[in-house]
Amino acid sequence: MPLSSLKQGEKAVVTALAGGSGFERRLRSMGIKEGKVICLDAKHHFSGPLVVDVDGRQITIGRGMASKITVRREK
């Protein structure tokens, strides 16, 4: 499922990044990579950005980017 499908407060594990090499490099530089546990802190209204927690840091990403990040809900 895409990261953008998570609900606020849910944790998930990143399983895949579905973009080009520049896209993947940018996400990896922010700490978002396969196997990493992330938490969706906030989901802004309409088509606004998402705020995710990665290793205790809050990162804001657009919905387009979030739709290219595949995650699996953590139990």
Side-chain angles (χ1 to χ4, degrees):
M1 76 172 22
L3 173 61
S4 55
S5 295
L6 290 179
K7 294 180 182 157
Q8 189 170 337
E10 282 189 305
K11 288 186 179 183
V13 176
V14 177
T15 58
L17 304 175
S21 61
F23 172 76
E24 290 183 16
R25 187 172 36 254
R26 183 170 179 196
L27 288 177
R28 290 177 200 282
S29 73
M30 291 187 277
I32 300 172
K33 57 186 175 183
E34 292 88 347
K36 185 67 75 170
V37 175
I38 60 176
C39 178
L40 181 61
D41 283 349
K43 201 174 201 179
H44 293 277
H45 297 289
F46 306 108
S47 296
L50 306 176
V51 179
V52 295
D53 184 285
V54 180
D55 294 333
R57 295 181 306 143
Q58 287 190 328
I59 299 170
T60 303
I61 58 174
R63 294 209 186 213
M65 287 182 86
S67 68
K68 295 178 183 178
I69 302 170
T70 305
V71 298
R72 174 180 36 85
R73 280 191 180 102
E74 194 174 59
K75 296 177 184 177

